[in-house]
Amino acid sequence: MDVLTDVLGSMRLTGELFCRTELTAPWGVEVPAIGGAAFHVLDRGNAWMVVEGEEHPISLTGGDLIIFTRSRRHVLVDSLEAVTVPLAELVKLKGEGNYTLNYGGGGSHTTLICGRFNIQDGGKHNLFASLPPILHVKGEQGRTIEWLETTLKFMAWEADSTLPGSQSIVAHLTEILFIQAIRSWISSQNDDAKGWLTALSDQQIGEALRCIHKNPEHPWTVESIGVKVGMSRASFAAKFRQLVGETPHQYLTSWRMQLASNWLTNSSLKLSEIAEKVGYFSEVSFKRAFKKNIGIPPGAFRRQARL
């Protein structure tokens, strides 16, 4: 069981590409705090990014990928003295149906690719809580890293294509971009790093998470999961909480509510059937747990989700 794939599937991640912008110095763009997780790829050139709430500007070079895991207003400029214009004004220059826009004063060139990831998450998961507010995947000495370059080339070709299904392909490629960025971030963490994503790499806690995701309906206890991964109850509980940031019971309940939320939204299963699929042996106990964790009864949640 690939836990990350499982979680991303339950969150119904989708990608959206805004534009490829060919910029010439001087230039500056104001980007509002938009819904979803915005991303920028600096395909070539150099830039500065000034983020609301951050003390220092971030220097960007060709090949860098930036993902905002929490929506933040920010400014992209070729120099810290540059005059800026709102992103909405630049998008108007692009024209309907066009992918590329051109803007700037005619100086040195910078190519910027912008988009966002949307999470249609009916429940709750701590994936984004495990990531920093700004995820910065750096290029290799001014060059785009190989996996990113390959994805971007395919994305650019499809974005300019008039063939059927091109928009769907671009959307899937942006999702690949997100997954690859998470992989890159995980591999860059040291042994002392904490959080749900880094816990996946731990032999024992990673196996515990896989057990929970593979069989969420199983009547798991802290002791039974500990036995499954070869640890005592106390040692397992302490290590799980240290790495994941919550107790095994809290994580199990949260994942069950995530699955239940998706079935309530996207299926016609009865409440009793959903209750059984997520490990509750009575509809009453499931309703009680769902309301406690999500805030409203499952029936009301289903009605709201389908409005």
Side-chain angles (χ1 to χ4, degrees), residues 17-293:
L17 192 64
F18 292 154
C19 61
R20 178 188 182 94
T21 309
E22 299 292 344
L23 300 155
T24 55
W27 59 268
V29 184
E30 303 169 21
V31 184
I34 58 177
F39 72 85
H40 304 292
V41 180
L42 199 68
D43 199 22
R44 66 167 175 170
N46 297 279
W48 289 95
M49 185 172 69
V50 181
V51 183
E52 187 174 55
E54 295 291 326
E55 185 177 356
H56 302 292
I58 300 171
S59 175
L60 303 177
T61 58
D64 284 10
L65 165 64
I66 289 283
I67 298 175
F68 287 89
T69 60
R70 286 76 147 166
S71 187
R72 304 275 290 277
R73 179 183 175 277
H74 55 283
V75 171
L76 289 157
V77 291
D78 72 306
S79 74
L80 295 176
E81 295 77 32
V83 176
T84 61
V85 297
L87 177 62
E89 291 188 18
L90 290 188
V91 172
K92 291 177 183 177
L93 299 176
K94 181 166 63 73
E96 189 68 29
N98 292 332
Y99 164 59
T100 302
L101 68 85
N102 297 276
Y103 176 73
S108 58
H109 285 75
T110 298
T111 301
L112 187 67
I113 298 170
C114 305
R116 71 177 171 190
F117 309 105
N118 299 305
I119 306 296
Q120 300 170 20
D121 183 5
K124 298 177 181 178
H125 196 275
N126 54 7
L127 168 62
F128 275 83
S130 298
L131 294 168
I134 302 171
L135 188 59
H136 187 179
V137 180
K138 296 184 178 181
E140 299 174 340
Q141 298 179 340
R143 295 180 293 106
T144 309
I145 50 183
E146 187 174 356
W147 64 260
L148 179 56
E149 182 177 17
T150 301
T151 304
L152 290 175
K153 284 182 177 179
F154 194 9
M155 191 185 294
W157 191 88
E158 287 293 341
D160 287 331
S161 172
T162 57
L163 294 174
S166 60
Q167 291 184 346
S168 179
I169 291 176
V170 168
H172 286 305
L173 287 170
T174 56
E175 295 163 27
I176 291 171
L177 199 70
F178 182 76
I179 296 168
Q180 290 280 32
I182 290 179
R183 280 179 170 179
S184 179
W185 182 81
I186 292 173
S187 66
S188 71
Q189 300 306 291
N190 57 42
D191 294 338
D192 297 327
K194 299 177 182 179
W196 177 80
L197 280 169
T198 51
L200 292 177
S201 301
D202 182 88
Q203 181 177 353
Q204 294 162 316
I205 304 305
E207 178 60 25
L209 290 168
R210 284 186 284 275
C211 288
I212 289 172
H213 281 253
K214 184 177 181 180
N215 299 112
E217 78 288 351
H218 187 80
W220 295 112
T221 63
V222 175
E223 185 174 7
S224 67
I225 304 175
V227 169
K228 195 79 173 176
V229 300
M231 298 180 71
S232 69
R233 183 187 187 283
S235 296
F236 168 68
K239 187 175 184 181
F240 191 99
R241 182 158 195 165
Q242 178 189 23
L243 293 182
V244 179
E246 57 186 342
T247 67
H249 176 72
Q250 287 171 329
Y251 185 87
L252 173 61
T253 301
S254 177
W255 179 238
R256 285 172 168 174
M257 295 303 106
Q258 177 81 38
L259 293 173
S261 298
N262 287 334
W263 279 317
L264 287 166
T265 303
N266 301 301
S267 81
S268 58
L269 291 172
K270 298 177 181 178
L271 293 186
S272 59
E273 294 174 312
I274 295 175
E276 185 176 349
K277 289 172 73 68
V278 294
Y280 292 89
F281 297 105
S282 77
E283 187 176 327
V284 172
S285 62
F286 167 63
K287 287 180 177 179
R288 187 183 303 116
F290 191 92
K291 183 176 181 180
K292 180 180 178 180
N293 286 271

